[in-house]
Each structure stands twice: as structure tokens, then as C-alpha cells.
């Protein structure tokens, strides 16, 4: 008579290993609870996957590059394969980067994959956050996940900057000098921060090793922890979904994680990897041999940071060179004011979910997404911020605009200064009007159907266009959104006749709430009575 122990010994080796692991780690119960988790399907959800896969590619290629890179500023004489620089003195960091590019098999390709993946990672995070913002996916209970995503974006920007500076070439060295000047403008602590980063007077002898430690250990470690926490919360809260038939705040309509979603995700990873590799093989990026090693007494014309830091540089470039003296100390306002504006804007982005929740008084959980047109004020704020960002990006590259388009750099600078204040306002007003126009169009489609392009002549001679009625699914999608009412001030006298006066905070909240949901901020949805009247033939062609 066989025993359970005999049966375990007769089981295949793989099954015995699985049983051993499950008895100690509880893998089976964990997998059973999560591997069939449902995920909705929409093309915009792939933006987050692009972020994840780009980060994986950055880690893989970064590990390879660290095997050959020497983070040292020790001066050496170059004797490598690139003939134009032979015999030139340079830092060991620059020389090792040249070695990777020309003497390590596949080194240049890996360098370029790493750099392109970093650019795509930050770009995908920005677009992904815009998708989350415009659809309202940051609302309760996902405010903390919004903060995690925001921190990943900011840390990604600074990780990219430190990595971009490691080769110690003339282009990146100019950017580091720019950063050093901005740090020195900070009152009281600026010189101490500069000494800490550079180990002495700029450029010092330690900034490449210190940037290397920050780039490969500190920032990626924090980002990896935030990414894991971000994904855990996505699993815990369940994924958001767009409204549609059968979709509510209490369910998720989509595909199971295994096997469907994982198969699609795996294929999409290799697609992203292949496209980045093709881009790296076809388009040169950061050719340090064309710039040469960094020297403090030289600067390259058209020196630009990577695009994600361009708007911060634009703030400083277009700011007037104001200075004031306070207690015998000179404050460089032309640099200090942009350094104050930059973190304030980032902080406003981070806390926006909490601001909107406070203004609107909405404390409910939301698992259904908004169509951007149905939240015109929020959408207008997002477009205004993007406009502001693009205007400053022009300012950050004002010299390139001037040389490539034969324009006056002073004209470009004044354009950016004016557009800094005017552009976001114009974008806000125009976007909200466009959203209201799209709402009117949706209402018209619900009541009258879709335009077919077929013209028909009626018996009395009138020409009309035949409209095709929408399906029930389309009608549901166009009418599923809510239209909240703005907050109102409480009566000045309560039910007991006791006078109460609203505070300044409450008055501000009500005023902002009317800006979000008050008159003129939305088009009333078509009612069932209106739809029945139209479709019954009264006034409908």
C-alpha cells in the first residue's frame, strides 16, 4: 500500500521542486489569487507598459556599461582607436566612454540603446501621467499612486541628467557648469551644496565618481522601490477602465492576467525592445567624440540639455538678469526666481489630486475613467500646463531657434517672456471651449444619430441629411458620465436660528467649485424624455 511519501518520491522532479517551494513560500496560493486577475484592454494603458519595459532595458544595458566604464577624473592621454583624439589629454571617464564606443564589441550600440531607452522612459512617463490626469485616474483611492508616479518622473529626470554628465564631454560638462551656477545662486547653502557635489572648486576632482554613485545606486534603487510599490497598488486597487455597457465602479471587464494578458505583455516587451534597438542602430545620439573632452575654459555652441530638463533651463534663460544686495550679499534673482518657480510647479502637479478633491468635495472611490471632454476645466488645466512647458522648452533652446530659423535671439526671448504668461491662459480658454463644443456634438449625436452623408429630398422640396441611429453601446458611452453640481455656501442662519459665518477657506472652496462645475462649464446631457420625443418622429428626419 503506497503512502503519501511514496507518491511524492514518484512524482516528477519539477513537481517535487514546486511542492518544496510552495511549502515554504506559499507560491501556489499567491498565484491562484492573482494570476487570474482581470485587466481591462485599451490602447492608452500600454503607455504605462512602455515605461516599465524601458526601465527594464535601462537596467539591463546599464549593468553591461558599468563593466567597462571608469568613473574617474584622473587625467590620461588617449591612445585608442579614434584617431582624431589620439594624444589628447582627457579624464579617465571620457577615455573609458571612448573605449566602450569604439573598442568594446557592441559597446556603442549598448550605449545608444541605454540613452534612447532613458529618453523614451521619461517621455512615456510624462505621456502616461497626462493620460492619468486627463481621464481622472488619479482620484480616490489612487492619490498615493499618483504621487509614486510623480516621484518616478522627477527621479527619472535627475537620473537622466546624472547619467548624461558621466562621459565628461564638452557638451555635458557645459550642462554641469550651468547647474553649478544655478546651485551657487541659492542663498546661504549654495556654496556648501556645490562643494559637496564637486569636492572643491568647479569642476573639482570628484563629481564624476559622485554622480556615478548617484546614477547607478541611489536613484535607481529608490526608483525600483517606487516602481514595485506602484505596481502593487495597481494590483490592489484594480485597474481603471473606460465607461461602457456592463462596466461599473464595482467590477472590471477585460482579460485575465494569465495566459492572455501576460502573452500580450511579453510580446509588447520585445516590440518595445526591438524598436529601441532599431532606433539606437539607425540614429546617433550623444556622439561625444564630435565634442571632445570637457575643459572649463571652453563651451560648445548650441549646448542643450536633454529635452526633459530643457524647460528648467528655459526659465533661467528668459529671466531678466536682476540682482539685489541684502546685508552685503548679492542675490542673483535672475537665477534664484526660476529655481523657486521650478519646484513650486512640480509640487502643484504632485498635489493636484488633493486640490481637486477638496474643491469639488468628491470623496467617493472612482474606478471608471472620464472622457477628457466631460471634465473641461481639468482638461483645460492640463493643456495650459503643457503649453507653458512647450513655451519654456523654446526658451531653453533659444540659441538653436535663432541659428536654425535666422531669428533674433532677443525676439525669441521676449516672445517666451510674454507667452509664459499669455500662452497658458489662451490655451485654457480655448481648450474649455473645445471641450464644450465636443459635448454639444455628443448630445446632438445622442438625439439625432450619426451623420451618414446621404442627402434626401422630402416631398415638400426640403433637402435633409439622413442620420443613422446610434447603437445602445454608443448611447451608453456618450451618456454614462456624471455632471456634478457645484458646492453652495451654507445658510447664514442654521435651523436653530443661530448665525454662522462662512470662513474665507469655505468661500474660496465654493468659488473654485463653481469654476469647476458651475454655469458654462458643461453642456447638460440629453434626457430620456428628449430622446423619446426626437426618436418618436417629432422633428426628426
Amino acid at each position: 500500500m503506497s503512502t503519501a511519501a511514496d507518491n511524492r518520491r514518484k512524482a516528477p522532479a519539477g513537481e517535487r521542486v514546486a511542492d518544496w517551494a510552495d511549502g515554504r513560500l506559499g507560491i501556489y496560493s499567491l498565484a491562484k489569487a492573482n494570476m487570474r486577475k482581470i485587466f481591462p484592454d485599451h490602447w492608452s494603458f500600454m503607455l504605462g507598459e512602455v515605461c516599465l519595459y524601458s526601465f527594464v532595458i535601462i537596467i539591463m544595458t546599464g549593468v553591461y556599461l558599468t563593466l567597462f566604464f571608469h568613473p574617474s577624473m584622473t587625467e590620461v592621454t588617449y591612445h585608442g582607436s579614434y584617431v582624431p583624439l589620439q594624444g589628447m589629454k582627457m579624464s579617465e571617464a571620457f577615455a573609458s566612454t571612448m573605449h566602450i564606443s569604439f573598442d568594446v564589441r557592441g559597446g556603442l550600440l549598448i550605449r545608444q540603446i541605454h540613452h534612447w531607452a532613458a529618453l523614451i522612459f521619461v517621455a512615456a512617463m510624462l505621456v502616461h501621467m497626462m493620460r492619468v490626469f486627463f481621464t481622472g485616474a488619479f482620484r480616490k483611492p489612487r492619490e498615493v499612486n499618483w504621487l509614486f508616479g510623480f516621484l518616478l518622473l522627477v527621479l527619472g529626470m535627475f537620473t537622466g541628467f546624472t547619467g548624461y554628465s558621466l562621459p565628461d564631454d564638452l557638451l555635458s560638462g557645459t550642462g554641469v557648469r550651468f547647474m553649478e551656477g544655478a546651485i551657487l545662486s541659492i542663498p546661504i547653502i549654495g556654496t556648501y551644496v556645490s562643494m559637496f557635489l564637486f569636492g572643491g572648486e568647479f569642476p573639482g576632482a570628484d563629481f564624476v565618481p559622485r554622480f556615478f554613485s548617484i546614477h547607478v545606486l541611489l536613484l535607481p534603487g529608490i526608483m525600483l522601490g517606487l516602481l514595485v510599490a506602484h505596481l502593487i497598488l495597481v494590483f490592489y486597487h484594480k485597474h481603471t477602465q473606460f465607461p461602457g455597457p456592463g462596466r461599473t465602479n464595482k467590477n472590471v471587464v477585460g482579460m485575465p492576467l494569465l495566459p492572455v494578458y501576460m502573452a500580450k505583455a511579453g510580446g509588447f516587451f520585445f516590440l518595445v525592445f526591438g524598436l529601441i534597438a532599431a532606433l539606437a542602430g539607425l540614429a546617433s545620439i550623444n556622439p561625444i567624440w564630435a565634442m571632445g573632452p570637457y575643459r572649463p575654459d571652453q563651451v560648445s555652441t548650441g549646448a542643450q540639455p536633454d529635452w526633459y530638463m530643457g524647460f528648467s533651463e528655459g526659465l533661467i534663460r528668459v529671466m531678466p538678469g536682476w540682482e539685489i544686495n541684502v546685508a552685503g550679499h548679492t542675490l542673483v534673482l535672475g537665477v534664484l526666481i526660476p529655481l523657486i518657480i521650478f519646484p513650486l510647479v512640480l509640487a502643484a502637479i504632485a498635489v493636484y489630486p488633493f486640490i481637486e478633491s477638496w474643491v469639488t468635495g468628491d470623496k467617493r472611490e472612482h474606478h471608471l475613467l472620464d472622457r477628457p471632454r466631460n471634465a473641461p476645466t481639468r482638461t483645460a488645466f492640463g493643456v495650459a500646463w503643457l503649453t507653458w512647458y512647450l513655451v519654456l522648452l523654446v526658451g531653453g533652446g533659444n540659441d538653436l531657434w535663432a541659428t536654425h530659423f535666422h531669428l533674433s535671439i532677443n525676439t525669441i526671448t521676449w516672445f517666451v517672456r510674454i507667452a509664459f504668461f499669455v500662452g497658458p491662459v489662451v490655451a485654457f480658454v480655448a481648450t474649455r471651449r473645445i471641450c464644450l463644443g465636443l459635448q454639444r456634438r455628443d448630445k446632438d449625436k445622442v438625439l439625432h444619430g450619426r451623420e451618414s452623408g446621404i442627402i434626401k429630398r422630402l416631398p415638400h422640396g426640403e433637402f435633409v441629411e439622413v442620420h443613422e441611429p446610434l447603437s445602445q453601446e454608443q448611447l451608453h458611452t456618450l451618456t454614462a458620465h456624471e455632471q456634478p453640481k457645484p458646492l453652495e455656501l451654507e445658510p447664514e442662519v442654521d435651523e436653530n436660528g443661530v448665525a454662522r459665518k462662512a470662513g474665507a477657506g469655505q468661500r474660496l472652496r465654493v468659488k473654485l467649485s463653481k469654476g469647476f462645475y458651475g454655469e458654462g462649464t458643461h453642456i447638460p446631457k440629453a434626457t430620456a424624455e428628449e430622446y423619446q420625443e426626437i426618436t418618436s418622429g417629432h422633428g426628426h428626419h
Side-chain angles (χ1 to χ4, degrees):
M1 183 175 180
S2 62
T3 63
D6 294 332
N7 292 334
R8 283 196 297 271
R9 282 193 293 269
K10 293 178 183 179
E15 185 176 334
R16 293 200 302 272
V17 171
D19 287 340
W20 181 89
D22 182 57
R24 289 153 180 82
L25 303 176
I27 295 176
Y28 176 76
S29 58
L30 183 66
K32 184 178 180 181
N34 293 288
M35 289 300 99
R36 298 295 291 175
K37 191 174 183 66
I38 300 299
F39 281 85
D41 189 19
H42 192 270
W43 67 267
S44 65
F45 300 154
M46 292 191 297
L47 296 170
E49 295 182 49
V50 174
C51 302
L52 174 62
Y53 302 152
S54 300
F55 185 76
V56 172
I57 295 167
I58 291 170
I59 297 298
M60 292 167 57
T61 53
V63 169
Y64 181 82
L65 293 174
T66 56
L67 302 177
F68 304 98
F69 181 72
H70 301 291
S72 171
M73 296 190 69
T74 303
E75 190 174 67
V76 298
T77 302
Y78 181 70
H79 297 292
S81 301
Y82 189 69
V83 176
L85 293 182
Q86 286 183 355
M88 183 176 289
K89 292 187 179 299
M90 58 186 64
S91 67
E92 195 172 353
F94 186 91
S96 65
T97 309
M98 293 292 294
H99 176 71
I100 292 171
S101 302
F102 290 98
D103 299 305
V104 174
R105 186 180 297 275
L108 181 58
L109 177 63
I110 298 299
R111 256 197 73 215
Q112 300 214 144
I113 290 177
H114 188 74
H115 202 140
W116 276 116
L119 292 179
I120 291 174
F121 173 62
V122 180
M125 279 199 295
L126 179 63
V127 178
H128 176 58
M129 285 193 69
M130 287 298 99
R131 196 278 299 174
V132 172
F133 180 86
F134 285 125
T135 59
F138 55 77
R139 292 171 294 178
K140 185 182 177 181
R142 297 176 179 83
E143 301 98 331
V144 174
N145 226 9
W146 168 266
L147 291 177
F148 286 165
F150 166 80
L151 291 174
L152 281 168
L153 176 62
V154 174
L155 291 176
M157 291 165 53
F158 286 100
T159 305
F161 178 80
T162 54
Y164 161 86
S165 306
L166 289 180
D168 197 29
D169 61 287
L170 186 58
L171 183 63
S172 67
T174 303
V176 175
R177 184 58 185 264
F178 180 91
M179 181 199 73
E180 190 253 356
I183 290 174
L184 288 177
S185 72
I186 303 174
I188 302 175
I189 65 171
T191 52
Y192 295 98
V193 174
S194 177
M195 287 291 182
F196 173 77
L197 283 176
F198 299 103
E201 293 293 334
F202 181 85
D206 298 325
F207 96 82
V208 168
R210 293 180 183 186
F211 274 32
F212 181 77
S213 299
I214 294 171
H215 180 72
V216 304
L217 291 175
L218 180 62
L219 295 181
I222 298 173
M223 292 176 67
L224 186 60
L226 288 172
L227 183 62
V228 172
H230 186 77
L231 294 176
I232 289 175
L233 287 180
V234 169
F235 263 77
Y236 177 71
H237 291 143
K238 71 186 180 182
H239 205 291
T240 54
Q241 58 186 343
F242 282 96
R247 300 174 183 177
T248 68
N249 276 311
K250 298 181 179 180
N251 69 354
V252 179
V253 178
M255 303 172 297
L257 182 62
L258 275 179
V260 181
Y261 192 83
M262 287 296 290
K264 293 179 67 175
F268 191 48
F269 168 77
F270 289 108
L271 178 62
V272 172
F273 203 157
L275 288 175
I276 292 176
L279 189 61
L282 296 173
S284 177
I285 188 170
N286 199 22
I288 62 167
W289 53 88
M291 268 73 75
Y294 177 65
R295 286 178 48 180
D297 61 334
Q298 293 182 355
V299 63
S300 58
T301 303
Q304 305 291 316
D306 282 330
W307 67 268
Y308 46 83
M309 298 298 291
F311 73 104
S312 58
E313 182 164 335
L315 274 169
I316 296 178
R317 287 198 185 192
V318 303
M319 181 71 190
W322 297 338
E323 293 182 359
I324 61 173
N325 291 315
V326 178
H329 297 277
T330 301
L331 295 182
V332 186
L333 299 182
V335 180
L336 183 58
I337 291 177
L339 286 182
I340 295 173
I341 294 175
F342 178 56
L344 287 179
V345 172
L346 293 179
I349 296 172
V351 301
Y352 180 85
F354 305 97
I355 294 174
E356 182 174 309
S357 176
W358 177 75
V359 169
T360 60
D362 188 358
K363 306 298 181 183
R364 300 168 299 161
E365 289 195 4
H366 292 272
H367 302 289
L368 289 178
L369 300 173
D370 289 332
R371 298 174 76 204
R373 67 186 62 180
N374 294 328
T377 302
R378 180 201 302 147
T379 303
F381 274 127
V383 174
W385 183 87
L386 290 175
T387 302
W388 183 80
Y389 172 86
L390 293 174
V391 166
L392 290 178
L393 199 59
V394 172
N398 57 1
D399 52 342
L400 292 182
W401 285 91
T403 55
H404 283 66
F405 295 96
H406 308 289
L407 301 170
S408 166
I409 196 167
N410 290 328
T411 301
I412 297 171
T413 300
W414 274 105
F415 165 78
V416 174
R417 288 174 179 174
I418 296 172
F420 175 85
F421 298 99
V422 176
V425 176
V426 173
F428 181 90
V429 174
T431 300
R432 197 149 80 160
R433 290 182 66 87
I434 291 171
C435 289
L436 293 176
L438 292 173
Q439 288 185 30
R440 290 190 187 94
R441 183 186 174 207
D442 287 346
K443 181 176 181 179
D444 187 67
K445 286 174 68 175
V446 169
L447 295 177
H448 300 284
R450 186 179 65 85
E451 297 175 353
S452 66
I454 300 174
I455 304 300
K456 184 177 181 181
R457 185 177 184 182
L458 299 181
H460 59 276
E462 179 186 2
F463 288 93
V464 297
E465 182 179 16
V466 177
H467 286 208
E468 296 178 357
L470 301 181
S471 65
Q472 289 299 314
E473 179 179 354
Q474 292 171 318
L475 290 172
H476 179 90
T477 301
L478 295 180
T479 58
H481 60 281
E482 297 179 347
Q483 293 190 316
K485 300 295 183 182
L487 299 177
E488 298 288 345
L489 283 175
E490 296 179 352
E492 296 184 358
V493 179
D494 64 14
E495 63 275 7
N496 298 319
V498 178
R500 56 185 175 188
K501 186 177 181 180
Q506 181 65 18
R507 292 182 181 276
L508 175 63
R509 183 184 184 191
V510 170
K511 191 171 183 179
L512 292 174
S513 177
K514 290 181 179 178
F516 267 82
Y517 298 138
E519 185 178 356
T521 60
H522 64 269
I523 303 300
K525 293 190 297 184
T527 64
E529 292 76 15
E530 289 177 319
Y531 180 75
Q532 291 295 334
E533 181 181 357
I534 292 291
T535 55
S536 63
H538 301 290
H540 180 64
H541 301 298

